[in-house]
Amino acid sequence: LLEFRGVSKHYRLGEAQVRALDGVDLHVELGEYVSIMGPSGSGKSTLMHLLGCLDTPTEGNYRLDGVDIETLSGDALAEVRSTKIGFVFQSFNLLPRLTACSNVELPLAYQGVPRTERRARALTALERVSLAKRAFHRPNELSGGERQRVAIARALVVEPAIVLADEPTGNLDSRVGDDILELFDRLHATGVTIVVVTHSEEVARRAQRIIRLRDGRVERVEVVRPR
Amino acid sequence: LLEFRGVSKHYRLGEAQVRALDGVDLHVELGEYVSIMGPSGSGKSTLMHLLGCLDTPTEGNYRLDGVDIETLSGDALAEVRSTKIGFVFQSFNLLPRLTACSNVELPLAYQGVPRTERRARALTALERVSLAKRAFHRPNELSGGERQRVAIARALVVEPAIVLADEPTGNLDSRVGDDILELFDRLHATGVTIVVVTHSEEVARRAQRIIRLRDGRVERVEVVRPR
Ligand SMILES: Nc1ncnc2c1ncn2[C@@H]1O[C@H](COP(=O)(O)OP(=O)(O)OP(=O)(O)O)[C@@H](O)[C@H]1O
Ligand SMILES: Nc1ncnc2c1ncn2[C@@H]1O[C@H](COP(=O)(O)OP(=O)(O)OP(=O)(O)O)[C@@H](O)[C@H]1O
Ligand SMILES: [Mg+2]
Ligand SMILES: [Mg+2]
């Protein structure tokens, strides 16, 4: 389903070149649950942004669902992002002037979903992350873990085929974090493909495979449970 | 050293009142290492902002080093914040147009430290969090865990008497996270007062006492190790 072949991402900073990703081969099957681990700065978020079509590789090839991503137009890429992929950002990326509910409604608004239905689906999504009582707070009126959960609700509200979650439990206590992971388990059971970046071994082991990065490369892959 | 008596923090949102903190009594001794735990939304960051003189209570009294905080002028409060307290924010609060190094230099610039000395101290602080090689990147050219470490370096560069760190290892892998905690241990050994908010029991147990919040109140206090 998701396939990287020789994918690199380089940044130029003045004279220096930063190799955030350096020749990565990996694949994620349809319906698989994979976690990604590695030291801070090893390229995990960069990899997730490429998987989510939010950025393009400097070198190499990314094939998503049989389509080479480089061949897609800007519009087609936006279409893939908004209908197939739910992305939970490491730093949440909520719109500061919108309430939690409006932030969660946004992807549905892009899809032209009517207002009453959007509102209902957004409130349901917030309820699933135990945030219904904060639906009309703005991001600066929310705690760190509450913002993180709004970001999760927003990613899930379009019912995407692929969920890409960049450290989704980093700001959550263990009870609320477990609720989120159980939610991911239930989604996975319905056939959703899930990729989670995490710094916690315990969280990583909820997946079927763990891909470990180091210095922009795949260091090794572990099978946690067979398919 | 740090004493709350009956401290509350309420927010008004339209008709509703949110009690982020609700009648909190607590104390932290000079030179003590305390951690704060509790569910997402239980009031930890609110408590830290009050401890750090970044905000004022709605009710109750905060005495810092024998001084009632309500009696201090805006200037005097700013003085306390910039000289006595190093604050690591849960969402980092870096200035986006400054490099990591300039972000770390900022508190020293406020204190009138000359440019060459500021630069040297900032680079040393970045080195202590293993970030010397990213000193001239801007925040959007850094990973999540790298931004977190810039925030830590900035808090420590003024050599404060009190370090308030709101989830300082949330975005870090275990190796880098342990380095940060060992740095805090070394500071504590020199007499620095340390308060760390964390969602990890393991991180919390590095402290001498754990204060547990629930729904804006102190639920209980555990002694981890005697003074
Ligand atoms: N400006 C505000 N207006 C209204 N409510 C607020 C405001 N700021 C915070 N809150 C609410 O106060 C409560 C406590 O917030 P706080 O940030 O202290 O929680 P926390 O314990 O740090 O949580 P987390 O672990 O998720 O970071 C939250 O439920 C939040 O929604
Ligand atoms: N725009 C940029 N310009 C230069 N370097 C960059 C840029 N963006 C990221 N980097 C560098 O690329 C490396 C990989 O970044 P990335 O965000 O993928 O790391 P990460 O594995 O997600 O780390 P963390 O666990 O800390 O979130 C980092 O060392 C970072 O400094
Ligand atoms: Mg990252
Ligand atoms: Mg908080």
Side-chain angles (χ1 to χ4, degrees), chain A residues 46-143:
Chain A
T46 303
L47 191 152
M48 292 289 271
H49 277 71
L50 295 180
L51 280 176
C53 303
L54 293 158
D55 202 355
T56 51
T58 316
E59 294 169 7
N61 178 265
Y62 174 29
R63 190 172 297 184
L64 168 60
D65 230 355
V67 180
D68 274 347
I69 289 304
E70 306 89 68
T71 65
L72 294 185
S73 68
D75 283 353
L77 271 176
E79 178 74 7
V80 167
R81 279 197 304 265
S82 63
T83 56
K84 283 191 176 183
I85 297 170
F87 202 107
V88 184
F89 292 88
Q90 185 171 6
S91 51
F92 323 147
N93 293 16
L94 302 179
L95 297 190
R97 295 203 214 127
L98 299 186
T99 62
C101 190
S102 299
N103 263 287
V104 176
E105 286 183 44
L106 209 53
L108 299 177
Y110 282 141
Q111 289 183 345
V113 174
R115 207 158 79 63
T116 329
E117 182 186 342
R118 288 204 303 264
R119 168 63 64 94
R121 286 173 65 180
L123 290 174
T124 302
L126 285 168
E127 209 164 318
R128 278 191 298 173
V129 295
S130 309
L131 264 197
K133 71 185 195 299
R134 293 284 183 257
F136 304 104
H137 286 227
R138 286 179 176 70
N140 69 340
E141 295 162 339
L142 291 172
S143 77

Side-chain angles (χ1 to χ4, degrees), chain B residues 38-49:
Chain B
S40 171
S42 57
K44 305 177 300 297
S45 297
T46 303
L47 190 151
M48 293 289 270
H49 277 71

Side-chain angles (χ1 to χ4, degrees), chain A residues 39-46 90 166-167 197 199, chain B residues 142-145 171:
Chain A
S40 172
S42 57
K44 306 177 298 295
S45 296
T46 303
Q90 185 171 6
D166 198 345
E167 299 192 35
V197 169
H199 280 306
Chain B
L142 292 173
S143 77
N171 283 283

Side-chain angles (χ1 to χ4, degrees), chain A residues 142-162:
Chain A
L142 291 172
S143 77
E146 290 168 345
R147 287 174 206 157
Q148 185 156 44
R149 284 179 274 160
V150 176
I152 292 166
R154 181 183 60 185
L156 300 187
V157 77
V158 300
E159 291 168 29
I162 300 163

